[in-house]
């Protein structure tokens, strides 16, 4: 049966898709912990799938293929866990019978033990229940000994577990047989789009991420049309490149101090133990960690600690890290976080809304690809803060069937429109709060406004703070959708403009 949580399996998939890591117990772990391998059909299947050279070449050669693989296989894993939960629920009745058996009177034990053993032997003859062994223990008044009933309970539970494991394995193998074909089918559909519509892989990836549910041709087509607005307005790509400031290879170099650690690895004589730390080195385990594994009830705790490198292990003098510092030259620009302020007032409804959605999709993809924080502030008469990378991860979970409470209530890839007029004061207060107190994640971030800039000026104190933040390295950019004069130009480092025509309605 499954030994890990849904998050554990999804983490294994994410590591494989990101850098090709195939999670497996090293050789010594396979010898020490065979039950962890043999009793987890999902893990066995994932290992076999990830080691397939064809799967590896497809997944590691394309970000789009990696995203499709992650969600297709992730959905399969969650379905298997759901099946195993149902199998476990079906076993609850028998576990209740075991507990009641231990409370029987001596008369009932004498009257029942032979028929019970025969019944269990027939039911679990393929599941490692040794009927002959149990008969030998119970005959000649062996039924009167409490330890024999305890042994029967353990054998019964073991047979029940084995039967559940076999049922789970059959489910995994049955469903898993179609996973490679389903993955290839999904990927082929997307690749056909690249050939027929001229869409780029990045655009297909953006459209995929905008979907809220499972794959449908019509929903994907709708989102792809929004993403391809970027072809009509190249300014969308320009502002996405500008946000977060890519490393400037042409920029002026500066001298910095690089800090880190250096390791001293050597053979030591005498006692090499320096103390205790955490990790997953099985050769340095504390004795009580080994005791945990030897206890069947605590084995799951041990395996989880091993997976997360939280085992307590001895620390050796020959492996202690030493502080290290050296000078190096680096470019003056840096990769930074982004704060994106999106106007959701009534004046942005229609075509501007579609342009905003396309730009947000581009920014989300950029933030994920470059591993940057990106914070969205949706504003009109009020504000609604959203962490974009978290939102994207949540959508991915929902597409795989792992739903959570949708606190943001996004509507099919669009952000919710608040309607009404536009008030910059609340949005600016939240922006400046992040720049000052964003747990160092958003200090000196790049700030982007996506709006028509038909926004009344706010208090002089807030307007003055624009210059204060710019003086410390913060960049303010604007993306102006539509025509009209703006009285905000002098407060921004650059404002991009796009014009559009409203479609005629007849």
């Amino acid at each position: 049966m499954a030994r890990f949580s849904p998050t554990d399996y999804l983490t294994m998939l994410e590591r494989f898709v990101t850098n090709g890591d195939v999670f497996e117990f090293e050789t010594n772990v396979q010898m020490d912990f065979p039950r962890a391998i043999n009793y987890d059909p999902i893990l066995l299947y994932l290992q076999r799938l990830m080691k397939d050279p064809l799967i590896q070449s497809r997944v590691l050669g394309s970000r789009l293929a990696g995203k499709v693989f992650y969600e297709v296989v992730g959905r399969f894993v969650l379905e298997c866990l759901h099946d195993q939960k149902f199998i476990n629920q079906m076993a609850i009745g028998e576990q209740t019978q075991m507990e009641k058996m231990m409370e029987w009177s001596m008369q009932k034990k004498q009257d029942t033990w032979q028929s019970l053993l025969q019944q269990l032997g027939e039911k679990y003859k393929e599941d490692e229940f040794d009927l002959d062994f149990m008969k030998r223990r119970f005959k000649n008044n062996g039924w009167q000994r409490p330890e024999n009933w305890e042994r029967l309970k353990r054998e019964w539970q073991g047979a029940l577990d084995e039967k559940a494991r076999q049922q789970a394995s059959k489910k995994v193998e049955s469903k898993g047989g179609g996973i490679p074909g389903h993955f290839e089918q999904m990927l082929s559909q997307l690749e056909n789009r690249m050939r027929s519509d001229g869409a780029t892989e990045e655009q297909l990836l953006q459209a995929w991420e905008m979907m809220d549910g499972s794959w449908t041709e019509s929903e994907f087509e709708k989102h792809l049309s929004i993403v391809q607005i970027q072809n009509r307005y190249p300014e969308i790509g320009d502002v996405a490149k500008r946000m977060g400031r890519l490393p400037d290879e042409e920029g002026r170099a500066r001298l910095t101090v690089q800090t880190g650690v250096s390791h001293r690895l050597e053979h030591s004589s005498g006692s090499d133990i320096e103390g205790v730390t955490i990790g997953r080195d099985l050769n340095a385990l504390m004795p009580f960690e080994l005791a945990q594994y030897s206890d069947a009830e605590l084995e799951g705790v041990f395996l989880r600690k091993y997976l997360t490198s939280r085992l307590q292990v001895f620390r050796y003098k020959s492996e202690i890290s030493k502080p290290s510092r050296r000078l190096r030259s680096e470019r003056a620009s840096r990769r930074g976080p982004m704060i994106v302020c999106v106007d959701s007032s009534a004046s942005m409804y229609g075509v501007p809304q579609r342009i905003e959605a396309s730009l947000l999709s581009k920014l989300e993809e950029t933030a994920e690809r470059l591993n940057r924080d990106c914070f969205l502030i949706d504003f009109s008469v009020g504000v609604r803060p959203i962490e974009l990378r978290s939102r994207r991860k949540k959508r991915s979970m929902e597409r795989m069937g792992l739903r959570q409470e949708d606190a943001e209530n996004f509507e099919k890839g669009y952000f919710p429109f608040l309607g009404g007029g536009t008030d910059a004061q609340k949005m600016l207060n939240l922006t400046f709060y992040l720049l000052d107190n964003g747990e160092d994640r958003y200090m000196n971030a790049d700030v982007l406004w996506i709006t028509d800039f038909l926004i009344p000026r706010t208090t002089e104190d807030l307007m003055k703070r624009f210059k204060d933040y710019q003086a410390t390295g913060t960049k303010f950019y604007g993306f102006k959708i539509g025509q009209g004069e703006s009285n905000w130009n002098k407060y921004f480092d650059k404002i991009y403009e796009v014009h559009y025509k409203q479609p005629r309605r007849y």
Side-chain angles (χ1 to χ4, degrees):
M1 299 296 285
R3 309 300 292 267
F4 307 116
S5 69
T7 304
D8 293 329
Y9 293 109
L10 294 178
T11 299
M12 296 176 202
L13 286 174
E14 187 174 5
R15 288 175 179 171
F16 172 66
V17 167
T18 303
N19 51 31
D21 285 350
V22 179
F23 176 82
E24 61 180 335
F25 294 97
E26 290 83 358
T27 304
N28 57 342
V29 184
Q30 290 184 10
M31 291 189 297
D32 291 341
F33 314 136
R35 283 176 290 173
I37 295 289
N38 297 333
Y39 280 69
D40 193 337
I42 297 177
L43 182 60
L44 282 169
Y45 177 83
L46 291 180
Q47 287 177 317
R48 189 168 68 248
L49 185 66
M50 293 178 187
K51 289 180 179 179
D52 186 329
L54 293 178
I55 293 291
Q56 290 181 351
S57 63
R58 290 287 268 166
V59 171
L60 302 180
S62 161
R63 289 183 63 231
L64 178 63
K67 180 64 67 175
V68 175
F69 179 85
Y70 175 77
E71 295 190 9
V72 167
V73 180
R75 177 178 287 273
F76 157 77
V77 168
L78 295 175
E79 289 176 353
C80 290
L81 290 174
H82 178 77
D83 291 340
Q84 292 187 12
K85 182 179 179 181
F86 178 75
I87 292 172
N88 289 337
Q89 289 173 342
M90 295 295 290
I92 292 176
E94 283 198 50
Q95 290 171 337
T96 302
Q97 291 179 37
M98 295 179 205
E99 297 300 328
K100 289 182 177 179
M101 176 189 72
M102 301 304 295
E103 299 173 359
W104 286 351
S105 65
M106 293 301 291
Q107 185 61 49
K108 186 168 185 178
K109 288 181 179 181
Q110 183 180 13
D111 296 340
T112 310
W113 73 266
Q114 289 179 314
S115 59
L116 176 61
L117 290 182
Q118 194 63 36
Q119 178 186 349
L120 294 176
E122 292 175 359
K123 184 173 183 178
Y124 294 112
K125 62 182 178 181
E126 304 295 335
D127 303 311
E128 301 181 359
F129 183 82
D130 193 337
L131 177 60
D132 292 336
F133 171 76
M134 294 308 303
K135 282 182 176 180
R136 288 195 299 271
R137 295 196 64 142
F138 271 70
K139 71 180 183 180
N140 300 327
N141 295 325
W143 62 268
Q144 297 179 354
R145 303 177 65 177
E147 61 267 27
N148 285 341
W149 288 94
E150 289 286 352
R151 181 59 182 265
L152 174 59
K153 180 183 177 183
R154 291 198 301 272
E155 293 292 325
W156 187 355
Q157 182 65 60
L160 182 62
D161 290 343
E162 175 61 19
K163 191 176 189 68
R165 186 193 69 79
Q166 291 183 13
Q167 290 175 337
S169 295
K170 289 178 181 177
K171 291 272 189 182
V172 169
E173 293 303 321
S174 174
K175 291 184 175 182
I179 291 299
H182 182 46
F183 165 62
E184 284 294 339
Q185 181 184 15
M186 294 291 298
L187 199 55
S188 295
Q189 285 181 297
L190 295 171
E191 290 172 342
N192 289 337
R193 287 284 182 181
M194 295 175 67
R195 290 188 288 268
S196 61
D197 297 348
T200 65
E201 180 178 283
E202 182 183 314
Q203 290 175 338
L204 295 175
L205 188 59
Q206 290 179 50
W208 177 276
E209 290 286 3
M210 293 176 74
M211 291 194 301
D212 289 329
S214 57
W215 165 275
T216 63
E217 187 78 19
S218 58
E219 184 187 7
F220 186 81
E221 180 73 35
K222 180 184 71 175
H223 292 309
L224 183 59
S225 68
I226 292 174
V227 171
Q228 290 185 317
I229 289 174
Q230 298 165 16
N231 297 337
R232 198 179 316 151
Y233 301 106
E235 293 86 355
I236 291 177
D238 294 340
V239 74
K241 290 178 182 177
R242 182 67 66 94
M243 286 296 293
R245 283 172 278 176
L246 286 167
D248 185 5
E249 296 300 333
E250 303 298 325
R252 184 177 59 192
R254 61 175 176 170
L255 202 61
T256 62
V257 177
Q258 183 181 27
T259 61
V261 295
S262 61
H263 291 271
R264 177 167 57 89
L265 299 174
E266 60 185 28
H267 296 287
S268 300
S269 59
S271 176
D272 194 28
I273 297 175
E274 175 73 10
V276 176
T277 184
I278 57 174
R280 56 188 293 179
D281 183 358
L282 299 176
N283 295 317
L285 280 178
M286 296 283 289
F288 74 88
E289 296 285 16
L290 286 173
Q292 267 193 347
Y293 174 68
S294 64
D295 188 326
E297 294 183 359
L298 295 176
E299 181 188 4
V301 176
F302 178 91
L303 292 173
R304 177 178 291 275
K305 288 163 73 175
Y306 174 80
L307 276 175
T308 56
S309 298
R310 303 293 298 177
L311 292 170
Q312 292 200 36
V313 296
F314 288 113
R315 186 185 187 200
Y316 296 104
K317 295 177 182 177
S318 55
E319 295 177 352
I320 295 177
S321 301
K322 302 297 182 183
S324 174
R325 292 164 62 88
R326 67 183 176 89
L327 293 176
R328 72 169 183 176
S329 177
E330 66 179 21
R331 299 299 174 184
S333 296
R334 52 108 173 114
R335 297 174 184 266
M338 313 177 212
I339 298 175
V340 183
C341 305
V342 180
D343 186 350
S344 56
S345 63
S347 64
M348 299 298 291
Y349 193 78
V351 175
Q353 178 191 14
R354 290 171 60 84
I355 296 174
E356 282 180 322
S358 186
L359 175 53
L360 276 180
S361 174
K362 181 74 172 178
L363 291 171
E364 277 186 294
E365 193 278 332
T366 301
E368 183 179 81
R369 175 167 48 85
L370 300 178
N371 193 30
R372 300 188 189 176
D373 291 316
C374 187
F375 199 88
L376 173 66
I377 301 175
D378 172 26
F379 74 97
S380 63
V381 291
V383 294
R384 190 185 312 235
I386 301 146
E387 216 290 316
L388 281 185
R389 291 173 64 195
S390 298
R391 182 185 77 168
R392 172 171 276 211
K393 190 173 186 66
K394 188 181 75 172
R395 277 180 175 168
S396 177
M397 294 294 182
E398 290 177 350
R399 285 195 295 271
M400 291 186 287
L402 191 64
R403 293 194 171 275
Q404 302 173 355
E405 285 297 319
D406 190 2
E408 298 158 12
N409 194 26
F410 273 71
E411 179 188 353
K412 300 297 181 183
Y414 296 102
F415 42 87
F417 267 69
L418 304 178
T422 310
D423 182 359
Q425 183 167 343
K426 293 180 180 178
M427 178 264 291
L428 284 174
N429 282 329
L430 180 54
T431 300
F432 296 152
Y433 175 83
L434 285 173
L435 292 172
D436 286 336
N437 306 292
E439 299 178 353
D440 293 331
R441 291 172 60 193
Y442 292 98
M443 294 180 66
N444 293 331
D446 289 333
V447 180
L448 173 67
W449 286 19
I450 308 174
T451 175
D452 55 12
F453 278 90
L454 302 179
I455 306 172
R457 291 267 290 275
T458 183
T459 64
E460 286 302 320
D461 177 60
L462 287 176
M463 302 306 294
K464 179 179 179 297
R465 292 179 70 182
F466 268 92
K467 298 299 182 184
D468 295 339
Y469 287 109
Q470 285 175 325
T472 59
T474 298
K475 300 291 185 181
F476 289 89
Y477 300 108
F479 191 85
K480 183 172 180 288
I481 304 175
Q483 300 179 356
E485 294 296 325
S486 168
N487 56 0
W488 292 85
N489 292 28
K490 66 179 182 179
Y491 297 99
F492 285 77
D493 293 272
K494 183 175 178 62
I495 295 180
Y496 297 82
E497 292 190 30
V498 296
H499 301 154
Y500 66 93
K501 292 183 178 180
Q502 285 284 7
R504 295 183 179 181
R505 301 184 184 274
Y506 297 96

